[in-house]
Structure formats: C-alpha cells, structure tokens
Amino acid sequence: MTRLWLKQPLAVLADGAAGGVVIADGRIVELVPSGGAPSGPVDAVFDASRHVVLPGLINTHHHFYQTLTRAHPAAIDKELFPWLTSLYPIWARLDPESFRLSVRLALTELLLSGCTTAADHHYLFPDGLESAIDIEADEAAGLGIRVTLSRGSMDLSKKDGGLPPDSVVQDKDDILADSERLIGRYHDRSDGAMTQIALAPCSPFSATKSLMMESAALADAHDCRLHTHLGETEDENAFCEATFGCRPLDYLEDVGWLGPRTWLAHGIHFTTEECRRLGAHKVGVCHCPTSNAVLASGFCPVNELQAAGAPVGLGVDGSASNDASNLIEAARHALMVGRLNYRSAEAITARDVLAMASEGSAACLGRADIGRIEVGRQADLALFTLDELRFSGAHDPIAALVLCGATRADRVMVKGEWRVLDGQPVGVDLARLRAEHGLAAGRFG
Ligand SMILES: Nc1nc2[nH]c(O)nc2c(=O)[nH]1
C-alpha cells in the first residue's frame, strides 16, 4: 500500500493538518500536525508549500446537456418559465453524440474548478437518447470523477396542464422501468462509491403526482436518493396554488417526499416556517446562487435552512442558466449573494461557502465518506495555488480563494488518484474537446 504525504501545505481546510495529509489506498489515513512528520514511513512526498488544500468540492445540481445551449439567443434575459419554454423545443433535438460531448465538457470543467463529485439532473430522453444516463456513467468513469446521476423525468406536458411540450415528456411506466434498470446497474451503496443513482422527477409543473409518489416508493425500496426542483420561482408557487391548491412544500409532503432521502434544487421561495419544516425533516437544499441571479429567481434562505437543521449544499445548475460549470466560482457567488441578501458581511464567510460546497453538499447526497479532510474519509482533494496576479498581496490563503476569485485548481485528487495535474485534466485533450463540443453546440442554434 503506497503512502503519499502532501507535505506542509500553504494552508489546509482542516483542523490539525497544518503539516499535511497522508493518503493511502484512496483514503486519508493521517493528518500531520504543524511542523510534524507522518507517524510511519511514506513512499512518496508531494511538496504542497505552494498549495491551499481543500476537501474536493461537490456539485449537487447540474444539467450537463445545457453546455450545448449556453448564452442562447432564444433564452437570454428571460426568467425561468419563458426561459424553459424557449429552450424545450431546442433541447428536444438532443442526440447521443452531442450529449456525450456535453457530459465530457461539463465534467472536465467541474474537475478543473476543484470538483471531485458531481450530481447531474438529466431529464431529457428524446428518441435515440434512451441511454443518456449510461453515457454519463461511462464518461464519469473515463475521467475518474465521482458522480450521483439523477435519473430525471417529465411526464406532464402542456396538453395535461404542465409546462413542457409533448416532444420532451415520457411515459410514466417507461420512466420507472428505466429508473429500476439504472439502480440495478449503477447504484453503488458502498463506502467510497464512485457512481450512485438518484430518482429525479423534474418539477411540480413537469411531473405528475403519481410519478412523484411512485418514484418515492422506488427510492425507498432501493435505498437511493430523491431530487427535484422546488421553491425556485413565484411562477412555481402560482402553479402549485392553481393546480394542487397548496404551496410547493405542502405538495412535496403530500407526495411523500418530505424526508432525509430528498434534496431539492434552488429552495428559494420558502417561508421561515417552511425552512423549519425542511430542517425538521432533514431535507437537503442545493443552493444555486449563480443561476438564481441570472434567472432573477431570488435569494435562497441558506442561513434559516441551516439553522433549522437542513443540509445546504452548493450547485452550479445547468449551463444554460449559469452559464459556467465552475464550482469554486459558485462559492464566491454564494458569498456575494448571501451578503446582499442578509445585508451583513458576517452573515456568510468564505469558510462558510467552502463548507457548503464540501460537507454541506456531501450531506445533501447522503454521503459521510466525502466532503471533509478527515482520517477515514475518501482522499478527494482540491489544491489551488495563489500564483496568479489576482492573489498577489492576499494574506489569508483560504479566504483569498473566495475573495480574490479562484477559478482553476492546480491539482485535483479523487479516491487517491490525481485527475488534474498542473491545471490540466488527466487524459483529456482540451483543444480537441473544445473544438468537438463547439461544433456539436452549433447544431442547437
Ligand atoms: N434552473 C432550472 N430550473 C428548472 N426547472 C425545471 O423544471 N427545469 C429546470 C432547469 O433546467 N433549470
């Protein structure tokens, strides 16, 4: 068993590890105190004196395919409902080759931003793309990044009172059968799992009540997590009032989703009492500050949710509403948006948003094996240097990552393996990927 010492980092986001971290067999096996040395022999030493070492960042909400429709003229400057109705017909043209490139590109971008685990919410399965989640699993394995692949779904089209057109919805029985197939094939419940499946009917205005209820039953039966968009806009509130006669959170409870298996994307339009209910039931919320700003959706009440006991993680959201897949940048946005929301500089700190992007996100995904630099946890780490001009003069190295605006990790380790080295993704030809993806995206103009 090879023991690697990441020696004497410039800074590390963990108590008692100023002397570095020892990695063996894909795990963190020792934290070295300041000025100390590992307790036993090591086989390799990495001099981390130029590096700020963070737990690998965890992205809890994305739509990888949307990298094909970034800054799209049909959708720019629109709020969620008109944004979606403009994009649905374009997304209906998704094909396997373009989709594969979108996944590879999004995962590579995430890795370069210090992300070691990514949750994707894929809810479009046009003819020919039935194996979208299989493609995602394959690409993630190739890049060596950990994933939670949320089998998304839509079965409520416009003709039945929903928002999406017929061209992008599926039959409920097909959705459930495919969900069961994917769980059987990919859902690894073990410690250190590289691939997990979650079930993810898309939103109250695109999924039927029975799909929500049957997905919850399936998730219970197979011990996997549930994910959906909720509390994103006032339009969604109005839809729920008009369709179900209640607010979105009451609807969530009604369909059997109010529990610790569930994490929600956005979670903006919750009252203080609703935050308490979410906390009491340990429902997780993925904060998507960048997308929430771009779509003018509102502020997520992160502090109220956390105070109530709800896990709060961080997500970049899909690349048509961010439009980047950069998680360390999203942490900076979480700080800025949070301080504006609370009109307080103390309400959210740099360390708070980094914790949200690591241990908060891990809790949303139901994982106790990642998200912290701690003995026994997986060796998932993001190492940043402060060499760029933007950091010159910075004093607190950890706060500097957020306040000076880090955008790119120098090294990223997943399960003890380097997946980014000297700012380059291992095994990816970036120029070729950029060219091929750009060409594919051109077909969605
Ligand atoms: N930000 C987003 N919100 C959504 N709601 C929904 O039903 N789909 C989406 C989406 O793609 N992005």
Side-chain angles (χ1 to χ4, degrees):
M1 188 169 66
T2 307
R3 279 165 57 87
L4 166 67
W5 179 20
L6 305 183
K7 185 180 173 185
Q8 285 159 7
L10 177 62
V12 55
L13 194 59
D15 291 335
V21 178
V22 182
I23 311 296
D25 206 17
R27 287 176 195 274
I28 297 165
V29 294
E30 190 174 349
L31 303 183
V32 181
S34 176
S39 57
V42 295
D43 307 285
V45 176
F46 173 72
D47 174 3
S49 57
R50 281 173 52 241
H51 291 87
V52 181
V53 181
L54 302 183
L57 306 181
I58 300 169
N59 185 47
T60 50
H61 187 65
H62 207 310
H63 308 286
F64 296 157
Y65 71 91
Q66 291 181 12
T67 59
L68 296 164
T69 55
R70 284 172 158 150
H72 198 291
I76 285 173
D77 304 334
K78 289 187 173 151
E79 291 168 21
L80 183 71
F81 275 24
W83 178 88
L84 281 171
T85 49
S86 305
L87 286 169
Y88 284 138
I90 297 169
W91 293 338
R93 309 204 303 259
L94 208 54
D95 62 277
E97 189 199 343
S98 308
F99 180 69
R100 184 177 280 281
L101 287 165
S102 75
V103 173
R104 192 177 302 163
L105 189 105
L107 286 172
T108 304
E109 256 190 291
L110 284 169
L111 268 175
L112 289 173
S113 76
C115 175
T116 51
T117 300
D120 191 53
H121 185 180
H122 186 76
Y123 58 82
L124 285 162
F125 297 83
D127 287 346
L129 193 56
E130 291 80 6
S131 58
I133 304 292
D134 304 83
I135 291 173
E136 293 194 322
D138 187 46
E139 286 296 321
L143 289 165
I145 188 169
R146 237 180 261 284
V147 280
T148 294
L149 302 175
S150 303
R151 202 302 179 183
S153 49
M154 301 199 291
D155 69 337
L156 181 69
S157 74
K158 201 167 166 187
K159 71 169 171 16
D160 299 316
L163 192 70
D166 275 352
S167 56
V168 292
V169 301
Q170 286 185 288
D171 173 73
K172 185 186 70 174
D173 292 337
D174 292 345
I175 293 167
L176 294 169
D178 191 46
S179 300
E180 204 151 16
R181 174 186 76 81
L182 291 166
I183 292 169
R185 178 137 191 216
Y186 298 111
H187 188 51
D188 179 357
R189 296 167 195 81
S190 65
D191 195 69
M194 290 298 289
T195 311
Q196 295 193 327
I197 297 292
L199 302 186
C202 195
S203 45
F205 48 84
S206 61
T208 59
K209 214 166 172 173
S210 58
L211 176 60
M212 291 292 284
M213 295 170 98
E214 289 181 51
S215 296
L218 203 56
D220 262 342
H222 293 280
D223 187 21
C224 74
R225 294 185 89 72
L226 288 165
H227 183 52
T228 193
H229 294 97
L230 206 83
E232 187 172 2
T233 61
E234 294 287 6
D235 284 340
E236 176 196 306
N237 281 353
F239 178 91
C240 288
E241 292 285 358
T243 311
F244 311 117
C246 63
R247 287 178 54 80
L249 189 59
D250 302 318
Y251 171 68
L252 198 77
E253 180 159 28
D254 196 28
V255 293
W257 278 51
L258 200 61
R261 205 179 276 298
T262 299
W263 92 100
L264 306 171
H266 302 282
I268 298 167
H269 296 279
F270 292 133
T271 64
T272 306
E273 190 275 323
E274 288 172 334
C275 289
R276 279 195 214 105
R277 268 165 78 196
L278 287 161
H281 292 276
K282 296 279 173 271
V283 175
V285 173
C286 167
H287 179 30
C288 302
T290 320
S291 168
N292 295 347
V294 169
L295 296 177
S297 303
F299 293 113
C300 173
V302 289
N303 286 2
E304 291 84 341
L305 287 163
Q306 285 175 332
V312 177
L314 193 66
V316 296
D317 199 7
S319 295
S321 65
N322 179 313
D323 296 359
S325 299
N326 192 312
L327 196 53
I328 189 73
E329 189 183 79
R332 175 172 162 84
H333 295 162
L335 177 126
M336 293 178 170
V337 161
R339 287 186 178 183
L340 275 178
N341 181 26
Y342 292 110
R343 313 280 197 287
S344 160
E346 289 168 5
I348 295 205
T349 68
R351 283 166 174 76
D352 289 337
V353 294
L354 293 173
M356 198 185 284
S358 48
E359 54 182 303
S361 285
C364 283
L365 300 184
R367 298 199 61 156
D369 56 343
I370 55 175
R372 283 174 70 92
I373 298 177
E374 201 172 80
V375 170
R377 295 219 184 201
Q378 292 290 300
D380 290 6
L381 300 168
L383 280 67
F384 293 82
T385 67
L386 302 185
D387 296 344
E388 293 165 67
L389 292 186
R390 68 178 68 225
F391 297 110
S392 189
H395 293 268
D396 176 335
I398 289 175
L401 292 179
V402 177
L403 296 175
C404 305
T407 57
R408 192 154 175 169
D410 184 59
R411 284 185 169 237
V412 176
M413 176 182 277
V414 185
K415 213 178 180 64
E417 301 285 334
W418 292 117
R419 297 301 179 185
V420 174
L421 280 172
D422 300 327
Q424 297 300 316
V426 174
V428 180
D429 179 340
L430 279 185
R432 181 172 171 191
L433 176 56
R434 172 66 183 86
E436 290 179 349
H437 179 275
L439 205 62
R443 298 198 283 271
F444 295 84

